[in-house]
Amino acid sequence: MVSRVIPVDPFDLVIFGGTGDLAKRKILPGLFRRFVSGQMPSEALIMGAARAKMNDTEYRDLVKIAILEFGSASLDEKLLVDFLDKVTYLRIDATGEAGWLELSQSMRNGPVRAFYFSVAPSLFGALAERLKKHKIALSDSRIVVEKPFGRDLESAKILNATLAAHFSEDQIYRIDHYLGKETVQNLMAVRFGNLLFEPLWNSQYIDHIQITVAEKVDVEGRGEYYNTSGAMRDMVQNHLMQLLCLIAMEPPAQFNPDAVRDEKLKVIRALDKVPPHHIVRGQYEASSDSFGYREHANDAKSRTESYVAIKAHVSNWRWAGTPFYMRTGKRLRSRCSEIAVVFKQPPHSIFGSEAGTHRNALVIRLQPDEGITMDMTIKEPGPGGMRLITVPLDMTFSEALGPAAEEVPDAYERLIMDVIRGNQTLFMRGDEVEAAWEWTDPIIKGWKERNDVPKPYDAGSSGPDDALMLLHREDRKWRPI
Ligand code: BG6
């Protein structure tokens, strides 16, 4: 299989927060990989912009170190030198006037202009205003903003209004990096590229759906941010809800930005309010060899959840009666993200009760070991009558597709290239983000009002026992993680 790399148009990309963690871990190494692949054209320019006093050479050293640490394993020195040649640095004051004239003078006429706001949301307004005031951003320029996009409906509305005062919706690219993952896009390919599943894709045939994003890591030095956020704001409001939308949405008429986002929005709006007994919050405990959440967050009384499991319902014609179980957490047994579509049992077993009854399940593994498994019921081999067993039909993408499956760009690389191409399909629209907060806000407020204390769980486990009960009491069970 040949990977087709089509170079994007020449661009000037300014990364505000160009010395920050995200720039170093994801944006700059990602751009380097796109350069190596031939997708980033040689006429492109990248400018890091931040408060620190630094010259181009010092910034290039920082970029080089970031690429060596977080970039590709094999590195071509010549390509790295060529890439660094396209990188410059500008000291700028986001809330003052210093640096803006210089930025304006360094923009070229012709290339696409994109501005990555890799900074705290409190600076979005100041940046947007100055980009417009100094005529640095043109009518077709793009801005890229990161999650968290607000911390509730009210703050998200304010942020949307702030950006909308200077930019039109088709210039605003709100990143949810899960949408940039290859296998997440595969969800749409599997659903809408095969005839096989669509007739069965409804509550008549599907018993329930499980969406799992389990992480082995702890809060990784981000305790201060995480403690004000928790799993609900950090993962559910964005990544898990996006996955739910892609599974539950109606087929859009076309794979274009508004058609796809209209359908996702309808799903979010059809979500029922979640009663408290359909949610389990958890917090990991210390173990003999690692700290617990409260130590990591440096808050001995923290009630922030590092785990959450939810039973949700999409109240529309297709899904009435089919629960969507979602769970995500840190410090769990393994890193495992998958979506399992569990079908109903056949209406009648011709083999009698001794043969056992089994359910088909379509499992889409997002990471690691990306692939698709279809659990099928077959006869247990050997003599002794008709006994049934379930075996997986397993397709691991790296085996099925060969080296091309290994060469796919990571989520950030793909999304930045989409910004330059002007394709918003994999970005969240303002109304979508607000609708997601509208659903999560009452859940978070409810915890606060009830002084809810998260259930403890052992680090390295599969989460709190109460989360198991969420399914057990309905005669279902979570897939192992
Ligand atoms: C981020 C969250 O958005 O996604 C992190 O802030 C989380 O807490 C991360 O670890 C997970 O992303 P991935 O791509 O590693 O699954």
Side-chain angles (χ1 to χ4, degrees):
M1 189 154 308
V2 185
S3 82
R4 284 179 304 125
V5 173
I6 304 166
V8 297
D9 289 338
F11 60 84
D12 283 358
L13 171 67
V14 180
I15 309 170
F16 293 107
T19 55
D21 204 48
L22 183 75
K24 288 195 275 192
R25 279 175 186 272
K26 296 288 183 187
I27 306 173
L28 292 160
L31 283 163
F32 175 62
R33 282 193 294 268
R34 289 299 87 207
F35 178 71
V36 172
S37 78
Q39 197 170 18
M40 175 178 146
S42 54
E43 304 91 325
L45 290 182
I46 299 162
M47 183 185 292
R51 257 182 324 202
K53 195 162 181 235
M54 218 183 254
N55 59 30
D56 287 349
T57 313
E58 287 163 331
Y59 188 61
R60 286 181 187 137
D61 284 345
L62 175 149
V63 176
K64 183 175 174 180
I65 292 169
I67 291 172
L68 292 174
E69 189 170 354
F70 302 110
S72 28
S74 58
L75 197 94
D76 181 323
E77 276 292 333
K78 162 90 177 66
L79 285 172
L80 182 59
V81 171
D82 290 349
F83 176 78
L84 292 174
D85 204 35
K86 309 188 178 321
V87 177
T88 57
Y89 180 76
L90 183 70
R91 189 178 184 202
I92 206 157
D93 181 359
T95 53
E97 290 311 311
W100 290 94
L101 187 63
E102 290 84 339
L103 177 58
S104 151
Q105 286 166 349
S106 58
M107 302 304 290
R108 298 171 298 169
N109 283 326
V112 171
R113 295 184 182 186
F115 304 93
Y116 203 124
F117 291 9
S118 181
V119 294
S122 54
L123 295 176
F124 288 1
L127 290 177
E129 189 196 323
R130 282 165 180 72
L131 284 172
K132 269 312 184 52
K133 188 171 99 185
H134 294 280
K135 301 195 170 52
I136 300 168
L138 312 173
S139 60
D140 61 351
S141 302
R142 289 128 215 198
I143 57 168
V144 185
V145 294
E146 270 293 326
K147 75 171 257 281
F149 197 84
R151 52 176 287 108
D152 53 20
L153 177 60
E154 200 191 330
S155 52
K157 276 187 170 166
I158 294 173
L159 265 186
N160 272 336
T162 307
L163 296 180
H166 307 284
F167 291 91
S168 60
E169 182 61 33
D170 62 7
Q171 294 181 283
I172 305 171
Y173 290 71
R174 295 176 196 78
I175 286 207
D176 180 320
H177 79 279
Y178 264 58
L179 291 177
K181 288 183 190 270
E182 182 75 10
T183 32
V184 172
Q185 289 162 62
N186 233 327
L187 282 178
M188 284 183 277
V190 167
R191 278 197 63 194
F192 305 129
N194 294 287
L195 182 65
L196 199 59
F197 301 114
E198 198 48 30
L200 307 178
W201 211 258
N202 55 54
S203 59
Q204 199 184 340
Y205 296 102
I206 294 179
D207 179 73
H208 71 278
I209 286 165
Q210 297 185 15
I211 301 177
T212 300
V213 179
E215 295 188 274
K216 211 172 168 182
V217 292
D218 55 42
V219 288
E220 295 181 298
R222 295 157 74 225
E224 205 180 315
Y225 146 76
Y226 196 90
N227 208 32
T228 60
S229 157
M232 193 70 187
R233 289 191 174 97
D234 187 51
M235 297 292 288
V236 177
Q237 188 270 347
N238 35 77
H239 306 327
L240 275 86
M241 286 185 75
Q242 288 294 324
L243 297 179
L244 184 147
C245 285
L246 297 181
I247 286 288
M249 72 184 188
E250 294 302 314
Q254 283 165 350
F255 190 57
N256 74 31
D258 277 329
V260 171
R261 298 185 299 178
D262 284 347
E263 295 306 334
K264 288 197 291 167
L265 181 61
K266 285 184 209 160
V267 173
I268 303 176
R269 292 201 169 138
L271 279 166
D272 284 353
K273 200 167 177 293
V274 188
H277 64 286
H278 285 179
I279 310 177
V280 177
R281 299 169 82 213
Q283 195 183 67
Y284 61 85
E285 298 275 86
S287 67
S288 54
D289 61 349
S290 69
F291 289 127
Y293 174 78
R294 290 173 180 205
E295 285 86 36
H296 280 140
N298 200 14
D299 176 359
K301 292 192 178 138
S302 173
R303 290 187 171 178
T304 300
E305 76 286 353
S306 59
Y307 175 100
V308 65
I310 303 181
K311 178 183 172 189
H313 279 284
V314 180
S315 270
N316 62 17
W317 194 282
R318 188 188 282 264
W319 293 116
T322 296
F324 286 72
Y325 299 98
M326 297 188 267
R327 64 179 161 166
T328 183
K330 302 235 179 240
R331 240 1 224 118
L332 295 173
R333 183 171 296 134
S334 62
R335 177 173 186 246
C336 153
S337 298
E338 62 168 41
I339 297 169
V341 179
V342 182
F343 290 86
K344 291 188 172 169
Q345 291 178 354
H348 166 70
S349 169
I350 64 166
F351 307 113
S353 58
E354 275 164 34
T357 39
H358 299 260
R359 286 174 172 155
N360 299 115
L362 176 73
V363 181
I364 300 146
R365 293 192 303 274
L366 305 180
Q367 58 192 29
D369 196 19
E370 291 90 342
I372 296 182
T373 302
M374 182 79 208
D375 284 350
M376 298 284 290
T377 303
I378 59 164
K379 177 187 171 300
E380 189 177 330
M386 185 65 98
R387 286 185 310 275
L388 304 181
I389 52 167
T390 301
V391 288
L393 278 178
D394 197 346
M395 179 172 70
T396 298
F397 292 146
S398 57
E399 283 168 17
L401 305 174
E406 310 288 341
E407 285 164 17
V408 296
D410 97 343
Y412 275 93
E413 295 168 47
R414 176 190 308 269
L415 293 174
I416 297 170
M417 292 299 107
D418 276 359
V419 172
I420 306 302
R421 273 193 290 251
N423 185 347
Q424 289 185 305
T425 310
L426 301 176
F427 295 82
M428 293 184 295
R429 213 168 51 191
D431 51 2
E432 225 184 308
V433 178
E434 289 183 15
W437 282 121
E438 216 166 324
W439 185 70
T440 43
D441 266 7
I443 300 176
I444 299 170
K445 278 194 188 120
W447 292 335
K448 199 152 184 229
E449 278 158 19
R450 293 191 304 278
N451 260 330
D452 190 83
V453 181
K455 308 275 184 254
Y457 63 93
D458 292 338
S461 72
S462 58
D465 289 345
D466 289 45
L468 303 181
M469 289 311 295
L470 198 61
L471 272 78
H472 281 187
R473 62 181 177 232
E474 290 165 352
D475 206 18
R476 298 181 174 119
K477 66 174 194 253
W478 288 112
R479 291 172 48 81
I481 50 174

